[in-house]
Amino acid sequence: MKKIFFLLVLLISAQISFGQSESDSTETTEVERKLNSLNQQLNTYERLLKQSNQKRKQDSLARVDLMKRIQLLQENDKVSQTSLRQQIKEIERRDSLRNTQQKQRILELRSSTKGYKVEPFGDSLFTIFTKLGPVMAEDRASNVIEKIEILVRDDYFFADSLLMEEHEGTIDIMYKNLIVTSISDWDALWVDGENKNSLASIYQGLISEYVISTRNRSTVKNIAARIGLVFLILGGVLLILYFIRKLSNGVQGWMVLNKAKFFTGFKIRNFEMLPPSLHLDVAIRSISVLKWGFYALVFYLSLPLIFGLFPFTKGWAQTLLDWILSPAKNIWFSFWSYLPNIFTIAVIYLITSYLAKFLKFIAVEIESSRLHVPGFFPDWAMPTYRLVKFMVYAFMIVMIYPYLPGSDSDIFKGVSVFIGLIVSFGSTSAIANAVAGLVITYMRPFRVGDRVKIGDVTGEIVEKSLLVTRVRTPKNEDITVPNSAILTGHTVNYTSSSRELGLILHTSVTIGYDVPWRKVHELLIEAAVATDGVNISKEPFVLQTSLDDWYVSYQLNAYTDIPEKMPKTYSELHANIQDKFNDAGIEIMSPHYRAVRDGNPITIPPK
């Protein structure tokens, strides 16, 4: 009892202090002074209550002892019995006086404490002054009002089901599984009664009588109101559907009138996702789908409203609402709880994007030779950038993975393992080509634009990628060569040496022994000098590669710095060789002519 009283007074002091916390500094000082005074008063009440309880215990023990002594006294000891009975009366008088003093102190506190009335639908039933556990008096009154109004609206309310149950120091007024209110000893001190059981019985009767009388007054009115609400809801639904249809038709008409202005197709860069001929049709169909979607939603939402008006269909209404509200609530709470992960993913992505842009800037600077890194060739810049960019984004995916929704679920893990197996079994050759592409990049056997021979393919390099290299032949045939084939084979680069040393074009002829070799050398060099594409700054030369049975093999070597025109240069060189030898009257014995004639005419065409 002492603790309850102490908490009550402390609550009142806190309310008084909180109510005055927004005043100016002078008022704050005054509140602090009053609070200190109230705390002193509380300490005094606590001390008095402690002393009162101690005296009550002492008097109770003394009363029991006196009663035992009276029973032990003999009939003839009337004087002693009378004395003992007077002592008992004195103890009872002091106990009554103490009870009166406690009630007086409660009354003094009630004069300065605000009570909160329980007023369902505006009708006052009783007043709550104290809190119960962490629930304040005002909240207790609001909760009781809400519970009583639920009972009034319950079409199956039975007064016999409103029961009292004792539970952990309180008396609970229960209706089925609903706790309407709880009464404690503290509540009993603040009303006229002193017993929580009697107070709970009073409250039970008040609540039961109020619910029954209120329901009896409103039964006919409720039925009429429910029927009227049904027609009102149906009218509202029809009105909403009418406005939706009018709005849909208006929007579609506006689209048709403005199709030339707003419906010109949809493109992403140069790719036409949606042609203009279908743009308007898709938009109109989308509006129709939205219209019917709103029709279904309005109709569906009207059903719980109608079913909720009648007791026998109220369960259906709750079920229909749960079908929509439960998934929507779960989605919303899932989204809300996932927001921190979204921000984390966004921050990781932004940092990675700006890092990739910075790396691209460095690569472009190196490629353009504005930035020089010792030992790092400019043509390495972009391939290295792509490789580092891939690694950066792969690292980003690894960092983002734990924040993806469902990343820790068994389904997500199973799909990840399945994709990993597919990639592992299906990308063996692709990985080999990718590794070969990296090696080729840093080996630098050729560059885009070089004239090369890869295996039996001769042409110009038009594209280098991580997996393949594309070669364009002199016949304008684009041939794709896997990088792994390039790495395991041999490559001839005609361009790399032509920039500084010059590429040597060579061709062979066979001439009989009857022609002086010096004359042959002279004619071959003249043919080379007369050929377009031959670099005459570097003198051509002739090599005698063999002395065969019937003829001598001569090899003409001439320099060129335009290897991309090799077929044309060779063709003109061969034509010039024929012209020079024809002019000199020398037969080219390649490969089956003999110097000894058998009477056939000479093979040199006439001039």
Side-chain angles (χ1 to χ4, degrees):
M1 187 67 68
K2 173 201 68 173
K3 293 181 179 179
I4 294 174
F5 182 77
F6 175 73
L7 291 173
L8 175 63
V9 178
L10 183 61
L11 174 63
I12 295 170
S13 65
Q15 290 176 345
I16 294 173
S17 174
F18 180 76
Q20 297 178 349
S21 61
E22 296 180 355
S23 59
D24 55 18
S25 59
T26 304
E27 292 177 348
T28 303
T29 305
E30 181 66 20
V31 169
E32 291 177 353
R33 185 185 63 78
K34 291 182 179 180
L35 183 59
N36 292 333
S37 175
L38 185 57
N39 288 332
Q40 293 177 359
Q41 186 178 4
L42 287 173
N43 293 332
T44 302
Y45 283 163
E46 182 180 6
R47 188 179 69 257
L48 292 175
L49 284 174
K50 186 181 294 185
Q51 293 175 357
S52 176
N53 290 334
Q54 289 177 352
K55 290 181 179 179
R56 179 176 295 175
K57 290 180 181 179
Q58 293 173 359
D59 290 345
S60 178
L61 293 174
R63 184 191 304 172
V64 173
D65 182 64
L66 290 173
M67 293 298 295
K68 289 181 179 179
R69 289 172 61 185
I70 289 174
Q71 292 176 1
L72 293 174
L73 290 175
Q74 300 295 329
E75 287 293 332
N76 55 1
D77 198 356
K78 298 293 185 180
V79 177
S80 298
Q81 289 183 7
T82 303
S83 175
L84 293 176
R85 293 183 185 279
Q86 289 178 351
Q87 294 180 23
I88 292 174
K89 290 181 179 180
E90 179 63 23
I91 291 172
E92 292 175 350
R93 186 186 66 80
R94 291 198 303 269
D95 188 56
S96 177
L97 180 61
R98 281 192 296 269
N99 290 337
T100 302
Q101 291 174 350
Q102 288 182 358
K103 290 181 180 181
Q104 184 62 32
R105 295 189 186 103
I106 295 294
L107 291 175
E108 292 175 358
L109 290 175
R110 284 182 59 178
S111 62
S112 59
T113 302
K114 179 182 178 182
Y116 297 92
K117 294 183 178 181
V118 176
E119 297 178 324
F121 302 107
D123 299 325
S124 178
L125 296 182
F126 49 87
T127 304
I128 296 177
F129 293 92
T130 62
K131 71 173 186 176
L132 184 62
V135 184
M136 306 303 292
E138 182 178 7
D139 296 331
R140 288 185 64 195
S142 300
N143 292 337
V144 176
I145 291 172
E146 182 181 352
K147 304 294 178 53
I148 294 175
E149 291 178 352
I150 291 175
L151 296 182
V152 171
R153 289 191 293 267
D154 187 357
D155 294 314
Y156 299 102
F157 174 79
F158 295 101
D160 295 340
S161 298
L162 191 65
L163 305 174
M164 294 189 305
E165 295 183 6
E166 188 169 358
H167 184 261
E168 295 182 358
T170 62
I171 301 296
D172 298 336
I173 299 178
M174 304 282 297
Y175 183 75
K176 298 180 181 178
N177 295 326
L178 179 67
I179 300 178
V180 181
T181 185
S182 299
I183 296 93
S184 64
D185 292 322
W186 199 357
D187 292 315
L189 283 175
W190 283 79
V191 295
D192 295 336
E194 298 180 358
N195 190 314
K196 62 183 178 182
N197 291 293
S198 61
L199 183 62
S201 179
I202 294 172
Y203 285 178
Q204 179 191 23
L206 290 173
I207 295 171
S208 178
E209 292 176 4
Y210 176 78
V211 173
I212 292 174
S213 62
T214 303
R215 285 185 50 76
N216 290 335
R217 290 197 307 268
S218 59
T219 300
V220 177
K221 182 171 65 177
N222 284 342
I223 294 175
R226 289 171 182 172
I227 295 175
L229 285 174
V230 169
F231 286 104
L232 183 62
I233 291 171
L234 292 176
V237 169
L238 293 176
L239 186 63
I240 293 173
L241 295 180
Y242 172 77
F243 279 114
I244 291 175
R245 184 175 66 84
K246 294 291 289 184
L247 180 62
S248 172
N249 293 338
V251 172
Q252 290 177 348
W254 177 86
M255 288 180 176
V256 173
L257 292 176
N258 296 273
K259 62 180 181 179
K261 183 178 180 181
F262 296 102
F263 300 96
T264 58
F266 182 69
K267 292 183 178 180
I268 297 180
R269 295 184 178 179
N270 296 326
F271 179 69
E272 189 175 43
M273 295 286 295
L274 189 65
S277 58
L278 295 179
H279 194 178
L280 177 63
D281 185 58
V282 171
I284 291 176
R285 290 180 181 273
S286 300
I287 295 298
S288 298
V289 171
L290 286 176
K291 178 183 70 175
W292 286 104
F294 279 114
Y295 281 173
L297 181 63
V298 171
F299 177 75
Y300 187 89
L301 292 178
S302 65
L303 293 179
L305 294 177
I306 295 174
F307 291 157
L309 296 176
F310 301 96
F312 55 88
T313 59
K314 190 174 293 184
W316 300 355
Q318 188 61 41
T319 301
L320 290 173
L321 286 176
D322 288 341
W323 286 353
I324 290 182
L325 296 180
S326 295
K329 182 174 65 175
N330 293 335
I331 292 172
W332 168 251
F333 282 116
S334 298
F335 173 76
W336 183 259
S337 60
Y338 190 69
L339 274 180
N341 291 347
I342 293 178
F343 287 121
T344 303
I345 292 173
V347 170
I348 295 173
Y349 175 76
L350 288 175
I351 294 175
T352 305
S353 298
Y354 282 105
L355 179 59
K357 290 180 179 179
F358 174 75
L359 293 174
K360 185 176 182 180
F361 170 76
I362 297 297
V364 170
E365 293 296 309
I366 295 176
E367 186 181 37
S368 61
S369 300
R370 289 191 293 268
L371 177 63
H372 177 69
V373 178
F376 193 90
F377 297 95
D379 55 329
W380 287 356
M382 295 312 296
T384 304
Y385 159 71
R386 296 188 186 96
L387 177 62
V388 175
K389 179 182 177 182
F390 173 79
M391 296 177 64
V392 167
Y393 276 102
F395 183 68
M396 180 197 72
I397 293 173
V398 172
M399 293 183 64
I400 288 177
Y401 180 84
Y403 299 99
L404 295 177
S407 60
D408 55 346
S409 64
D410 293 336
I411 295 177
F412 201 101
K413 295 176 182 177
V415 171
S416 302
V417 172
F418 180 71
I419 294 175
L421 290 175
I422 291 177
V423 172
S424 299
F425 290 123
S427 63
T428 305
S429 59
I431 293 174
N433 286 326
V435 173
L438 290 176
V439 175
I440 291 172
T441 298
Y442 293 99
M443 285 175 57
R444 304 177 70 237
F446 47 75
R447 294 187 295 182
V448 174
D450 285 0
R451 187 79 173 187
V452 299
K453 182 179 181 181
I454 301 175
D456 57 351
V457 178
T458 301
E460 179 183 348
I461 301 294
V462 294
E463 181 184 354
K464 289 171 55 180
S465 66
L466 189 65
L467 299 178
V468 297
T469 299
R470 288 183 172 85
V471 181
R472 181 166 296 163
T473 68
K475 304 300 184 183
N476 289 332
E477 301 167 333
D478 288 341
I479 300 177
T480 300
V481 183
N483 287 335
S484 58
I486 298 175
L487 189 63
T488 56
H490 65 277
T491 302
V492 178
N493 192 327
Y494 298 108
T495 304
S496 58
S497 61
S498 66
R499 299 186 181 98
E500 298 179 359
L501 302 177
L503 176 66
I504 298 178
L505 304 180
H506 57 89
T507 186
S508 297
V509 294
T510 56
I511 305 298
Y513 284 98
D514 57 337
V515 180
W517 64 267
R518 291 179 180 84
K519 183 63 176 180
V520 175
H521 283 210
E522 179 184 349
L523 294 174
L524 289 175
I525 292 174
E526 288 178 359
V529 172
T531 303
D532 291 337
V534 172
N535 187 358
I536 59 176
S537 64
K538 295 182 179 181
E539 185 179 357
F541 60 94
V542 179
L543 300 176
Q544 294 181 204
T545 57
S546 66
L547 299 176
D548 298 312
D549 291 339
W550 313 104
Y551 46 78
V552 180
S553 295
Y554 298 91
Q555 184 186 78
L556 173 61
N557 296 269
Y559 292 89
T560 182
D561 52 6
I562 48 175
E564 61 273 12
K565 294 184 178 181
M566 284 175 56
K568 183 178 180 181
T569 305
Y570 267 119
S571 177
E572 187 174 347
L573 178 62
H574 291 153
N576 289 335
I577 290 174
Q578 293 180 68
D579 290 340
K580 296 298 180 182
F581 277 78
N582 287 342
D583 292 341
I586 301 174
E587 287 185 292
I588 299 176
M589 308 302 294
S590 301
H592 300 298
Y593 284 103
R594 296 173 56 187
V596 178
R597 307 300 302 175
D598 58 357
N600 290 327
I602 191 170
T603 58
I604 300 174
K607 291 187 182 297

